[in-house]
Each structure stands twice: as structure tokens, then as C-alpha cells.
Amino acid sequence: MTLRLPPQPGEWIDRATPVNFTFEGQAYTGYAGDSVTSALWGAGERVLGRSFKYHRPRGLMSLANHDINVMLEDGTAINMRGDVLPLARGMELRAVNTLGGLKGDKYAVLEWMAPLLPAGFYYKAFHKPKALFPFWENVIRRMAGLGVMNPQAPRGEAIKQHRHCDVLVIGAGPAGLSAALTAAKKGVRVILADENARIGGTLGYDHAGQPTALETLARLQSEVASHPNIELLPAHYAAGWYTDHLVPLVGPSGMIKVRAGKVVVAMGAFEQPAVFRNNDLPGVMLGSASQRLIHRYAVKPFQRAVVLAGNDQAQRVVMDLHQAGVEVVAYVDLRPDADCTVIRQLGIPIYLGNCVQEALGKHAVEGVRISRWDGQGHPDPDTSMTIACDGVAVSVGWAPAAALLYQSGCKMRFDDAAQQFVPERLAPGMFAAGRVNGIYGLEAALEDGERAAREALGLATGVARAAETGSSHPWPIVPHTANKNFLDFDEDLQLKDFETAAQESFDNIELMKRFTTVGMGPSQGKHSNMNAIRVLARLRGEPIPKVGSTTARPFFHPVPLGHLAGRTFHPERRTPMHDWHAAHGATFATVGVWQRPAYYGTDKAKAVEAEVKAVRHAVGMIDVSTLGKFEVHGPQAGELLERFYTGHFVNQRVGTTRYALLLDEAGVMLDDGIVARLSNDCYYVTASTSNAATVYREMTRRLQTWGLEATIVNLTGSYGGLNLAGPHSQSLLKLLTDLDLAALANGGVAEGMVAGVQARVINVRFVAELAYEIHAPAQDIARIWLALEEAGRSVGLKPFGTDTQRLLRLEMGHFIIGQDTDGLTNPLEAGLQWVLANDKPFYLGQRSLKLLAEKPVSKRLVGFMLEAPPATLPDECCLVLRAGKIVGRLTSIAQSPTLGQVIGLAYVASEDAAPGSRITIRHQNGRDVVATVVPTPFIGVAP
Amino acid sequence: MKLLTCPINGPRPLEEFAYGGEIREMPDPQTCSDSAWADYVFHRDGAPGPKREWWYHVPSGTWLVAERDTASDVVSRTYLLGEA
């Protein structure tokens, strides 16, 4: 049976393009422009989904983008809503959340168990006996949730874009269109977004039998489309509002992050369901849903309809149904005194002051039972009568789509006359127009849009006109002894669940939400919160403003995870020699943002041992381009360094280097490096790889606060460096430079040509007794590297990586800040009194160290050797014990190939710091290991 | 995402900035008492309200001063140190 109407003016479907698809294994045909839901409904299907908890058959409810009755999966994507999913050729769709298919869903048995599953049942049931809980947990977990994820699904590419505009208008109904045009005509850049595939809002479907709305729509559409200042984004919903007007618009292909100067929220209102028994039966739908079916998709919603009215819009629905050829068999108005002149002329039976008590039928509406009532939830059973029909259109009230207003900090108030929340005080830069303000009439909405835009542009000040009355009924809720009168369709919550919650004292709005889970389903309360608030207010005997509403958080609408996921960009920095390392088999390690060779080869132990051997007996070379490198210029450059680091630098001779230790104000060690004085007013400073950015940042800040005459130039990226270490390093380097290397002994620095490149050569002793760091501009450093590599072959030069470097420095007895120190370590514990120039008036941390120096130092960092190394070495961070008490920890440990001993650094009690003391280390296996404290450096003190 | 106005680069998204803490006057280490110094080093005034804060625009390496009310998270003014 097909329910397609003859062509309707303004319809969205393209009748020339039929589209074949399958649903639950059965073939269907719709048209291009259809949504899946409209195509199925048009094909005469009624059961399109199953409810979340009781697996009740569901049809369509709102057909307005937030209808969760119809949720689909296609084997790749899950939980696609049928009312927004555009029909496409060859789709193979299934309903989510069924066992054995939609028609014969075996989980439907749960409905018979409903009395055992009241709201909050999972807080109470199945916990006893305890032994059975894992069984129940397994059952519940299998049944809970929606859709089955396919881990093999191909990764989709969701594009992210950024846009800027002066005014962002969200919602392209009459108010939004009017606001956008008003703003655009004043010359500002406007983005107009709407979640629907086509703009127009109510103009596109709420015709009330009059085609004039379409003329207005056509005029506005062409004005908007032709205006150069307006960017139109249909099929994009605003997912949330973030500080300073950042609004992500989510569309079919990705996300557009809009930074707006001002935001006009013209998102309209959600039509609200009425609460009566079986109000979820397929065939019961919102009045606006039936209008959308007719005007957008040319689908006849029913053959014989009952219209349940509670507001003035219901009669517009009657007129549209009537014009579409639907026989309206009854107009049932909750109000006793509605003016029904128009529909009376159509000859439709009118029942004023009546309610629908229940919908009848098993899988679809077959009739309704109505009765007189007092308008307050008390039907008079003596007057009840049954009317046969195949559909119920419900038009009783609205709730504003105010989520973005709430998120921006707007204060809302409940307007008693309009029975709707409306903005009371908007956040700066936020404006509201149309139905969110409670303004429903077409002319009034157009005017309100213009007003909002003028206010946004600062051309007018004032307030929105008063909200209109007559759009929302204060109590569209009918109790029923047999229940199944649903307030929340997402979570299958019945009226009695709220009464239960209140009885159990969960009668605060936030508590009730959590106990009943109202508004926590996929539509986030868009169709349930208003009625829930009404019920709670009545249960508490308080007015609605006292009950309040829950917080609306992003997202306004479920956003596919693929739209949120990043594109797995992983920025990394590479040194100028990176390609050489890769070509020579380096295994890379990530050090901060840098890629550095850890060692060369694939067998770590063997590679490190060979590299250590080369450095100790011949020569090795490591890429140190990642070091922080700064030049400090100016007459007070030395003064800056003297305050920044612990040592003396003003009196430092040109051509020398000094150790630089950086403390924070509490005296904790932050970083170390060297300071080389290149000339009277120029110092060259290095910092460790991982702290380079922080040291530069801190130095520039101190330079400002101290107001010194100096300049800091960050050369970290523009200079590269390498370290040539080992007994042959000097003779090898001599082959490539005329610099007097012998004069550089004991930490000298010189500038000159190395391998034809202008470079800085520094004598350092971090990894070996004899070693040179060579720094040169990043574009040149590789030439030095290659020249050394070539010249060094005959003397056994090997490149080495960071793993080897760590071992080499340990053999040298050097600690690494961050490895052998932590966020509390001070230089007194690390044995660095010699670098504290306390004769200076000031350096960072000095005052705190003065305080610390007055107290005994409880632990000290020392070198140790294991007496009888176990097969598995103790891990770093193993505890050091003294008489059963924790006194420190092990910070570095390694088998030294040079010494044939296991060496390391550890914090020990001060009493045990002298060489020769024996210390106890608690191995991770629980046994104690004994070590001897030895002087550092380790090499040169062979046992 | 909040916007912060860098005095050099104009309004930029917050993700480009690093917070540098409240601007506090260092007592004279030569003359202040031990407890005054400890108070300076370890104590922070976390009470919400108007603060002068250090912010760092990372891509351009610019330190700036922001006057921010931490109760409302409204930044009333940003400027370079010394240009107040």
C-alpha cells in the first residue's frame, strides 16, 4: 500500500528519481529527497523501530531531526535517525536494538516483565544473591545500549573547517531568515545554518490549508540565496555553544567551527507529546510530524485521524490533514472553550473538554478511547467512548530549543501565560528570535527576527515582544490505571515512574533526572523534560519556576565520534641529520617533540655495548641538535644569566664555558646546561632537550620583570649540534679544523671553520673525558657530521644514540635533571654546593636555599655499585631502605660495559652518603639487594 | 574556546596561550622574614575575583598581562608588562 499524495507544492521529493533500498531485508522504493522514515511510512510501514527498554513497537513521532523512535544501522554506521537520514540508492538498513529482527523482536517479552522493572530497578534488583550478580550483569550489558558497533568499519574522513562571521543565525525558519536578511542588508557577514535539508522552517510545512506560506518562503529563499553577505548552510546543526561564540556546525561531511561576533538563536521549538496510555503506538504522532509528511514528502499520514488538541496550532493541523484527504473523524480538545469556527465549517466532529485516555491497537493505532475531563488530569470514565481511526495527531504544546542559550549562560524564566520557558536575561552577544521567545505567529516571528538582528548590530535596544499565549497546554497528561502512558520515549518512562521517584524522595529536578533517567536518552529530553517538570511541580505542589530545569550541556544533538576525532596528526621535529640516521639503521625514540636515535641497529643490548665501546676506546658521535640553544646579547646579558642561574657569569672570561643550574623560587632544580661566553656582550646558552621551550619562556619573562638591557634569541631550531666523544675525538676533529683544540681544554669555546662550515666548538665532559660539542647553523651541521663520519672511519668512529648516551653519562657519574631528580630535589641533596654562588646578591631560589641550608640534609644523591647483581636488575624507583624505613630511591641503574659492574645513582640517608657505606635496595621482586656507595665518576675508579 | 587578545597579535584562541600564574610582587629577599618569603613561594590566593595574570602567547613568544576576573572568567584588559 502506498500512501503517496499527488504532487504537493514545495515538496522535497523528486518523483523522477525513484530510489530502491532495503529495510529489515525487505525491498522498498522511495524518492530522492525522502528521509528513510518518510519513505517507509509512505510505503505503508507502521512499525519502524523498537523502544529502548520494553522493545515496544514504535513508528514515527516528530519527524523533526530528533525523533529517536527510528534508529538504523547499516553494518558500518549505527544509530542513524531515520528522520534525518537522506534516502540513498542501495541502502541496506536494519533497526537497532532488536533480537531476531524488528517484526518478531524476541526482547518484546520484556514488556511483560515491566512491573518488575520500574525506574531505578538496577539500583535495587539483581544485587542479591551476590553470586548471581555477574550473570545478571552480563544479561543487562548485552541488552543495554543501542546498535552494534562494527570494529572493522572503514575509517570515515570527517572534514573540519573554520569560519568567521559577524552574525551567526542558527535556524532558518521565518525568524532566522528575517534576522539573517536584516543583518546582511546592513553590510555584515552572516552565516545562516539550519539542521534541515532545506531552509524555511514552519513556512515549509505549516500551511493550514493556505498556500501563501510558500510564497513568503520563496521570496525569502531567493533573497537569502542571492545576498552576497549570507553564507547558507542547510543540513548543519549547531552542536553547542562555547565561550566567545565558538559554535561547531555539524553537517553531513564534517564540522565547521564558526567563530561569530554575535549569535542569533532562532532554533524554534520542539513540539511536545501528550501523555496518555499507549501514546507511543505507531500511528500516534505529533501534529507537526503529520504536516511534515504531507508537505515535505507528499505522504498521507493516515486515512482516518483523530486530532488531539491542546493549543491553537492543532486546528492548522486539522486543515492540512483535511486538505490532504485524511478523514478527520474527531477533533478532541483538552480545553473546554476553544474557538472552533473554522473546523466546524469543515464538518468535523468536535469534542471540547475531552481527553484521549488511551490509544487502542497492538502494533498500530486502531482506535482511541476518549472521555470528558476536567483539564487537570481527571477523566470522567462514565463519558468514555471509542472512536475507530488509524492515526492520532497530537498538538498540545511546545518547548523552546534553548539549549545553546542555556549553554551561553542565559537565564530563562517560565512564562505562566505562555506555559513556556523564555529567555529572561541573555548572555552578552547572544540574541533570541521566534519560537524560543514564545512567538509563534508568522508575521510576529518575521518581525522578531528583524528586531533580534537590529539589536545584535547595536541598532536598537529593547526587549522581545511578550510570549504568545495559547500554544502550550499546562497539563497534557492523562493518568491511567494500566499505565503505559509514556513521558520519555527514549527511556520508556511512564507517569508512574515519576511518582515512584518522588515517593522515594528523589523529588528534586536533578535527582529525579538521575533516578528515572528522564532526558538522558539520545534525544536528551527534547520531548520529555517539559512534561517531566510539569509532573514534578505537581508532585511537589509547587509552581514550575520553583522546580526549575536541568542543565543543557553540549552536545545539543548526538555528534558522530568520527566528527570529533582528530585526524591523527602527530607533529614531530626532526634534526638536520634525521635522514642520515634513518639510512643508517637508527631506532628512533620520541624525546618531547623530537625524534632522536636511541641506538643504531635493532638489537638494543648489542648496539649500546658496541657504541659505548667506541666512545671509551676510539670515538663516537651523537646528534645533539635537539638541545635548547639561546644567545643572550646586550650590556646586561651577564647580569641576566647571573640572576637566572646559580653561578657567576659576569666575570666569566670570553672563550670559556660554565655549568648553568636553574632553580625555581623554592630552590628545586629545573634544568641545567652550559653558558659559553662568545664575546663581551654575547653568551651562548644551552638547555636540555625537553626543557628548551620552558627555559626560553622563563628567561624571557624574567628579562621583562627584571627590566634588564639584554636580548634573548632562541636558536634551538636554527642551530644544529653534534657531540664528538672519546679518546680519538681531538685528533679526528683536528683533521677538519684549524682551531687550537688543545687550548679548549677544561671547557673552552671557540668559533671557527669546521669542515668548511662556520661553527662553535665547545669542550664538554658530559659523556666522556674528552669530547667536543660542535654547533652550527641547521642547514650546515650535516656537512660537519658527514665529514667527521668519513674521516673517522679509519679510527673506528661510531654514531651513538640516546640510550648509549644515558649509559655513558652514568659512567661519568652525571645525573639528569628529571631522571635523577624530581619536583622536590634541591642542589644540596644533589651535591651541587659548588655551583651555588652565594656571594651574589640574588639568583632564583637563593633565598629558599638559605632556609634549606639551615636544616640538615636528610638524603643525598650518590653513586653505587651492586655487590652481587641479581639476574634481573632492580628497576629505577626501587626503594632504598635503612633499618626497614624508606630513606630514598634508586634513580638510574645499568650494567656498565666499561667496568663490568652494575652501577647506578640513588638517594640514600645522609649518614650513608660516604663512599664505602652499604645500602639496601628493595628489589621489585620483594627481596633486598645490597650495594656499596662509591665515588663518582665511576670510570677511573675501577674496583 | 575562549579568545584572548595578545597585545601584539590581536585576538587569538586560548589554545595558543599558556597560563603563567598570578602576577605577584616578590618581597626583597635580603630584608624579608623567612615566613614572608615562604608565604611568597608557597601560598597562592585562589579566591575567585579580579586578578592580574601572566599569559604567554606560545607561537610568537609574547608574555602579556591579563586582568581577569576569575569568578566570571571575563578578561577586561590585556597589555605588555610596563604598558599598563
Side-chain angles (χ1 to χ4, degrees):
Chain A
M1 175 180 65
T2 173
L3 295 170
R4 291 288 175 180
L5 295 163
Q8 300 290 304
E11 68 184 17
W12 289 10
I13 54 168
D14 172 11
R15 290 171 190 259
T17 314
V19 175
N20 297 319
F21 68 106
T22 70
F23 174 63
E24 293 280 321
Q26 205 177 321
Y28 295 89
T29 306
Y31 294 112
D34 255 326
S35 68
V36 173
T37 300
S38 67
L40 288 170
W41 199 266
E45 283 301 330
R46 285 297 171 267
V47 181
L48 306 184
R50 290 278 175 171
S51 72
F52 175 65
K53 188 170 164 188
Y54 301 133
H55 292 256
R56 288 169 62 89
R58 289 281 172 83
L60 70 87
M61 181 177 63
S62 75
L63 203 72
N65 311 312
H66 307 280
D67 189 342
I68 54 77
N69 278 354
V70 192
M71 299 237 275
L72 307 162
E73 59 188 15
D74 64 1
T76 300
I78 55 171
N79 297 334
M80 299 178 286
R81 279 150 303 112
D83 61 339
V84 275
L85 187 63
L87 197 63
R89 198 178 305 278
M91 278 179 155
E92 294 177 13
L93 301 162
R94 287 184 308 277
V96 300
N97 197 30
T98 71
L99 181 63
L102 180 62
K103 290 259 159 76
D105 183 3
K106 294 189 182 63
Y107 279 145
V109 69
L110 283 167
E111 185 167 2
W112 300 101
M113 292 169 66
L116 299 175
L117 305 170
F121 77 91
Y122 40 78
Y123 298 130
K124 299 170 180 166
F126 307 118
H127 289 272
K128 283 178 185 171
K130 220 176 166 183
L132 274 180
F133 182 71
F135 168 78
W136 288 117
E137 187 189 19
N138 193 23
V139 171
I140 293 169
R141 278 189 193 281
R142 195 150 14 98
M143 287 168 37
L146 294 167
V148 179
M149 213 173 69
N150 174 10
Q152 261 73 53
R155 190 192 168 108
E157 181 132 317
I159 301 162
K160 288 186 184 66
Q161 299 177 72
H162 293 264
R163 294 270 213 296
H164 295 262
C165 66
D166 298 306
V167 179
L168 168 64
V169 181
I170 307 167
L177 286 166
S178 162
L181 279 168
T182 304
K185 285 174 185 167
K186 295 290 176 192
V188 301
R189 292 168 306 151
V190 177
I191 289 177
L192 175 60
D194 193 286
E195 63 181 354
N196 291 287
R198 296 196 190 186
I199 63 170
T202 51
L203 286 169
Y205 62 84
D206 182 21
H207 297 169
Q210 304 290 319
T212 48
L214 279 174
E215 290 160 25
T216 310
L217 175 59
R219 177 174 57 80
L220 291 171
Q221 245 170 347
S222 76
E223 273 190 71
V224 163
S226 62
H227 206 293
N229 288 351
I230 298 179
E231 181 180 6
L232 187 59
L233 293 170
H236 280 77
Y237 59 88
W241 180 93
Y242 297 86
T243 310
D244 288 336
H245 305 313
L246 182 73
V247 178
L249 301 176
V250 179
S253 59
M255 184 185 283
I256 303 174
K257 298 177 188 176
V258 178
R259 177 73 73 175
K262 305 279 163 50
V263 178
V264 177
V265 173
M267 295 167 71
F270 302 112
E271 185 152 35
Q272 299 294 301
V275 179
F276 54 85
R277 178 168 160 79
N278 293 333
N279 58 343
D280 64 335
L281 200 59
V284 180
M285 69 175 75
L286 300 176
S288 57
S290 66
Q291 290 178 298
R292 287 188 183 91
L293 275 177
I294 294 167
H295 297 297
R296 287 181 177 176
Y297 307 109
V299 167
K300 196 174 180 181
F302 342 93
Q303 305 293 347
R304 289 166 53 83
V306 168
V307 173
L308 173 60
N311 62 13
D312 298 343
Q313 283 86 22
Q315 300 190 18
R316 302 175 66 84
V317 174
V318 172
M319 286 183 276
D320 275 342
L321 288 172
H322 180 77
Q323 200 197 34
V326 176
E327 185 190 351
V328 179
V329 293
Y331 172 82
V332 181
D333 201 315
L334 298 172
R335 303 166 297 178
D337 51 359
D339 174 6
C340 301
T341 321
V342 182
I343 53 171
R344 205 177 294 275
Q345 287 163 0
L346 301 175
I348 291 165
I350 295 168
Y351 300 87
L352 293 181
N354 271 254
C355 68
V356 170
Q357 275 185 288
E358 63 178 314
L360 307 167
K362 192 162 162 48
H363 291 292
V365 172
E366 291 162 16
V368 291
R369 189 184 321 268
I370 69 167
S371 72
R372 299 191 65 81
W373 82 328
D374 63 352
Q376 294 293 319
H378 305 104
D380 176 0
D382 298 339
T383 61
S384 85
M385 58 182 285
T386 303
I387 300 171
C389 62
D390 67 347
V392 183
V394 177
S395 191
V396 295
W398 304 82
L404 268 69
L405 293 177
Y406 278 111
Q407 288 165 25
S408 67
C410 170
K411 191 169 164 10
M412 302 284 283
R413 73 176 168 85
F414 189 75
D415 187 308
D416 229 21
Q419 283 294 309
Q420 182 188 321
F421 282 98
V422 292
E424 179 170 33
R425 197 180 61 245
L426 291 157
M430 297 293 289
F431 302 86
R435 291 190 169 193
V436 282
N437 283 337
I439 290 166
Y440 287 80
L442 176 58
E443 285 308 316
L446 292 169
E447 192 190 299
D448 198 43
E450 184 179 338
R451 174 205 54 81
R454 288 175 59 81
E455 279 189 41
L457 299 179
L459 301 172
T461 52
V463 284
R465 62 157 72 198
E468 295 166 10
T469 58
S471 288
S472 295
H473 191 276
W475 190 255
I477 296 162
V478 183
H480 200 286
T481 49
N483 299 308
K484 302 288 152 50
N485 42 1
F486 291 96
L487 252 95
D488 190 314
F489 288 56
D490 299 33
E491 304 268 318
D492 276 354
L493 299 176
Q494 311 166 51
L495 182 56
K496 71 164 174 147
D497 291 321
F498 292 80
E499 289 159 1
T500 309
Q503 270 164 19
E504 304 221 3
S505 323
F506 294 102
D507 61 352
N508 167 288
I509 184 74
E510 297 287 353
L511 291 176
M512 178 166 275
K513 171 176 170 172
R514 280 151 187 84
F515 186 82
T516 60
T517 69
V518 63
M520 288 163 72
S523 75
Q524 290 284 289
K526 294 183 179 74
H527 303 113
S528 60
N529 275 354
M530 195 57 238
N531 280 339
I533 289 167
R534 290 197 163 102
V535 169
L536 181 57
R538 183 165 286 198
L539 287 170
R540 285 180 27 172
E542 285 184 323
I544 285 175
K546 287 212 100 171
V547 171
S549 61
T550 54
T551 313
R553 296 190 180 87
F555 297 120
F556 167 68
H557 188 71
V559 178
L561 282 177
H563 284 52
L564 301 173
R567 291 179 61 192
T568 59
F569 285 141
H570 187 74
E572 59 183 36
R573 292 183 81 173
R574 295 173 170 190
T575 73
M577 275 80 87
H578 184 90
D579 292 344
W580 189 95
H581 302 318
H584 289 77
T587 298
F588 286 96
T590 303
V591 182
V593 290
W594 292 95
Q595 291 296 302
R596 297 192 71 181
Y599 46 88
Y600 294 80
T602 47
D603 183 335
K604 176 176 165 176
K606 261 173 85 174
V608 169
E609 196 178 334
E611 290 169 16
V612 168
K613 206 172 154 196
V615 173
R616 290 286 174 252
H617 301 291
V619 60
M621 179 167 69
I622 182 171
D623 184 351
V624 296
S625 301
T626 60
L627 287 176
K629 299 176 281 296
F630 320 113
E631 273 178 7
V632 185
H633 296 266
Q636 289 184 299
E639 173 72 19
L640 171 66
L641 296 173
E642 195 131 331
R643 292 194 198 191
F644 196 68
Y645 291 111
T646 62
H648 280 298
F649 302 99
V650 171
N651 64 2
Q652 182 179 353
R653 278 185 298 111
V654 171
T656 63
T657 62
R658 282 183 180 173
Y659 178 68
L661 177 67
L662 176 64
L663 308 180
D664 70 7
E665 283 177 326
V668 170
M669 294 156 64
L670 292 183
D671 192 55
D672 61 357
I674 56 165
V675 171
R677 191 162 197 176
L678 300 178
S679 68
N680 265 336
D681 58 358
C682 177
Y683 294 83
Y684 185 59
V685 183
T686 68
S688 64
T689 298
S690 44
N691 291 329
T694 330
V695 170
Y696 173 74
R697 187 180 297 180
E698 208 45 43
M699 205 187 282
T700 54
R701 169 153 66 169
R702 296 295 174 178
L703 176 61
Q704 284 189 38
T705 46
W706 293 334
L708 297 172
E709 215 177 311
T711 307
I712 306 162
V713 184
N714 190 347
L715 299 177
T716 301
S718 55
Y719 260 60
L722 63 88
N723 188 327
L724 189 70
H728 298 334
S729 57
Q730 195 183 84
S731 55
L732 173 58
L733 186 54
K734 236 181 200 147
L735 302 174
L736 300 175
T737 183
D738 296 333
L739 287 169
D740 181 2
L741 297 177
L744 290 183
N746 296 318
V749 58
E751 293 182 280
M753 303 301 280
V754 177
V757 170
Q758 180 68 30
R760 291 165 184 179
V761 180
I762 305 163
N763 172 233
V764 290
R765 280 191 194 158
F766 186 55
V767 294
E769 275 298 305
L770 187 60
Y772 298 91
E773 259 184 32
I774 302 160
H775 294 221
Q779 66 272 23
D780 298 331
I781 187 74
R783 281 172 60 194
I784 302 179
W785 178 277
L786 292 173
L788 283 169
E789 200 262 336
E790 198 185 322
R793 270 179 216 155
S794 57
V795 291
L797 177 135
K798 262 188 176 303
F800 65 96
T802 51
D803 279 21
T804 308
Q805 183 192 33
R806 286 176 97 89
L807 182 53
L808 291 167
R809 66 86 203 179
L810 184 59
E811 288 183 339
M812 292 291 286
H814 292 305
F815 59 80
I816 296 177
I817 289 182
Q819 161 84 22
D820 302 291
T821 73
D822 57 31
L824 291 172
T825 312
N826 66 55
L828 308 177
E829 295 167 334
L832 286 175
Q833 284 83 347
W834 63 278
V835 291
L836 305 175
N838 282 327
D839 52 338
K840 296 196 289 192
F842 177 82
Y843 61 83
L844 287 175
Q846 184 185 31
R847 182 68 169 84
S848 293
L849 283 183
K850 194 178 149 202
L851 288 171
L852 286 168
E854 289 165 10
K855 297 177 181 166
V857 178
S858 64
K859 62 180 196 292
R860 289 177 195 276
L861 185 63
V862 298
F864 68 83
M865 277 187 193
L866 287 192
E867 295 187 357
T872 307
L873 294 183
D875 285 339
E876 285 157 8
C877 274
C878 276
L879 298 175
V880 175
L881 303 175
R882 187 174 209 269
K885 286 208 171 106
I886 299 168
V887 290
R889 65 185 173 91
L890 193 159
T891 61
S892 287
I893 187 164
Q895 169 78 38
S896 160
T898 314
L899 296 170
Q901 294 278 346
V902 175
I903 59 171
L905 297 174
Y907 288 95
V908 302
S910 293
E911 300 91 313
D912 295 335
S917 304
R918 299 179 78 212
I919 56 168
T920 305
I921 295 163
R922 174 68 50 88
H923 194 284
Q924 61 269 23
N925 66 14
R927 300 211 185 89
D928 286 346
V929 179
V930 177
T932 312
V933 175
V934 298
T936 53
F938 293 95
I939 52 171
V941 288
Chain B
M1 174 76 62
K2 209 174 167 55
L3 291 177
L4 205 56
T5 303
C6 170
I8 305 292
N9 302 286
R12 306 296 306 170
L14 192 67
E15 64 186 352
E16 291 184 5
F17 292 85
Y19 176 60
E22 194 185 345
I23 296 182
R24 298 168 317 128
E25 204 62 41
M26 184 179 80
D28 183 345
Q30 306 289 350
T31 57
C32 75
S33 69
D34 288 356
S35 65
W37 181 258
D39 187 62
Y40 164 70
V41 171
F42 293 109
H43 292 164
R44 299 289 184 275
D45 176 13
K51 311 266 175 187
R52 281 176 78 232
E53 297 174 331
W54 280 114
W55 286 85
Y56 183 71
H57 184 241
V58 178
S60 66
T62 310
W63 278 107
L64 56 120
V65 180
E67 291 183 0
R68 183 171 75 105
D69 188 325
T70 55
S72 60
D73 195 26
V74 171
V75 178
S76 49
R77 218 152 67 94
T78 57
Y79 49 89
L80 297 177
L81 188 74
E83 293 185 0

